[in-house]
Amino acid sequence: MALQYRSFSTGIRNVIRSLGSTVGQQTAITSAPAPLILDDNHRNVVKAREAWIETLDASTDSPQVGLMHLHPRIFAACPRLDIIHENVVWQRKYRMVNTAHTKLRSEVRGGGKKPYPQKGTGRARHGSIRSPLWVGGGVCHGPRAFTTQFYMLPFANRIQGLTSTLSAKFAQDDIKFVDSLDMPSDEAGYIEKLCENRCWGPSVLFVDDTDVMPRNIIIATETIQHMNLIPVYGLNVHSMLKHETLVLTVSAARCIEERILYHLNKPDFHAINCEKFRT
């Protein structure tokens, strides 16, 4: 046992000496600049997007008046086409009301008397001519008027539908940012020529952070069917897809980022998504 103990202690001393020499070598090596080691999480980091800020004043030499940074979770998310489609179907069915109507046997006129005696005629036993078995009688399990097709889409799908649509339109260069919606003229030809010169597409949706828009742009777009104004709290997937170009003010873009990021980072976000819709 003593021999085994001596050999074991000798082995420990040898290991300690080797470690000391290794540490000395490592200190000499680490004096040089070490390479940057990245973990696997660097693949999930997305850089902030940048966009030019333009102005609606065509008299300036350059329409670009500044540069703004956009949050990647809002304008650089991976577009989910299936969720975008779910949002569009939900919005279309939201306002659908079925007006087809059929009458029950209690709503059809007549039929109070038994058509013929119960026995002796050789015919089937009937109590009323307004039975669903008779021509001109009531309809069984038919459609009833004013049946709505309303249903509530999950909260997470509504949020992800907004981020997917904004990211897809930003990737296609269909989102423009302006400092404000102030224009020097209230003529419809001015805004049409401005959109044509800047290649904004035939249909344009202007979004501001308030529902009180400037006077000139309201008058200019009043007679133009393919240009609409909407406040930021009314922005939706169907309206963004319906128009080719989306024009956001800087304050509207910041408001969109603030509200969506608030909901994405709520601690009870998933709990709200699991709750049933209560009318």
Side-chain angles (χ1 to χ4, degrees):
M1 295 294 294
L3 181 61
Q4 293 179 359
Y5 176 75
R6 291 194 192 96
S7 61
F8 181 72
S9 61
T10 303
I12 292 177
R13 286 195 297 270
N14 294 335
V15 170
I16 293 175
R17 291 195 188 101
S18 62
L19 287 175
S21 62
T22 305
V23 170
Q25 294 176 1
Q26 287 182 352
T27 54
I29 294 174
T30 54
S31 60
L36 181 62
I37 300 177
L38 298 177
D39 55 356
D40 294 336
N41 295 329
H42 76 281
R43 299 179 181 178
N44 300 328
V45 177
V46 182
K47 295 182 179 179
R49 295 297 188 262
E50 296 180 347
W52 289 106
I53 302 175
E54 303 179 8
T55 178
L56 296 182
D57 190 0
S59 60
T60 58
D61 297 335
S62 176
Q64 300 171 352
V65 295
L67 189 68
M68 67 179 301
H69 295 274
L70 304 173
H71 200 281
R73 293 191 66 183
I74 311 300
F75 294 93
C78 181
R80 289 282 302 273
L81 300 182
D82 56 335
I83 294 184
I84 294 177
H85 179 261
E86 286 181 3
N87 279 264
V88 173
V89 173
W90 167 63
Q91 287 188 248
R92 287 179 177 176
K93 290 188 176 181
Y94 184 85
R95 55 175 179 262
M96 282 186 180
V97 178
N98 187 11
T99 58
H101 182 76
T102 56
K103 293 183 178 181
L104 302 176
R105 62 181 298 169
S106 60
E107 298 173 345
V108 180
R109 183 180 177 182
K113 181 183 177 182
K114 189 175 178 65
Y116 40 79
Q118 180 79 0
K119 296 178 178 293
T121 60
R123 290 180 289 186
R125 296 163 288 187
H126 290 286
S128 175
I129 62 174
R130 298 312 175 200
S131 170
L133 302 177
W134 287 67
V135 176
V139 177
C140 183
H141 304 295
R144 303 293 290 177
F146 309 111
T147 303
T148 178
Q149 299 185 17
F150 169 80
Y151 67 95
M152 183 54 67
L153 196 67
F155 184 75
N157 291 15
R158 284 177 277 162
I159 295 295
Q160 196 169 1
L162 292 174
T163 57
S164 297
T165 308
L166 289 171
S167 301
K169 293 190 76 67
F170 182 78
Q172 297 173 355
D173 197 22
D174 288 336
I175 297 183
K176 307 298 179 181
F177 299 91
V178 295
D179 53 354
S180 65
L181 297 181
D182 295 327
M183 295 193 317
S185 176
D186 59 354
E187 297 180 358
Y190 176 84
I191 189 66
E192 288 182 340
K193 185 177 181 181
L194 180 68
C195 296
E196 182 181 356
N197 293 337
R198 298 186 182 180
C199 301
W200 282 2
S203 57
V204 183
L205 180 64
F206 296 92
V207 184
D208 201 357
D209 62 335
T210 178
D211 51 3
V212 182
M213 306 290 180
R215 174 182 177 276
N216 287 346
I217 194 169
I218 293 177
I219 298 176
T221 58
E222 185 177 5
T223 58
I224 305 176
Q225 300 296 330
H226 53 272
M227 292 186 184
N228 296 311
L229 304 173
I230 190 173
V232 69
Y233 58 78
L235 189 64
N236 56 85
V237 176
H238 186 268
S239 297
M240 286 190 287
L241 295 179
K242 187 178 179 180
H243 299 81
E244 183 172 348
T245 305
L246 180 65
V247 179
L248 300 174
T249 61
V250 176
S251 56
R254 296 309 179 198
C255 183
I256 291 173
E257 291 181 345
E258 178 184 357
R259 296 304 302 171
I260 294 182
L261 288 175
Y262 168 76
H263 289 296
L264 289 177
N265 295 283
K266 287 176 63 175
D268 57 344
F269 176 75
H270 298 285
I272 294 176
N273 189 40
C274 296
E275 291 182 358
K276 292 184 179 180
F277 176 73
R278 296 187 296 268
T279 55

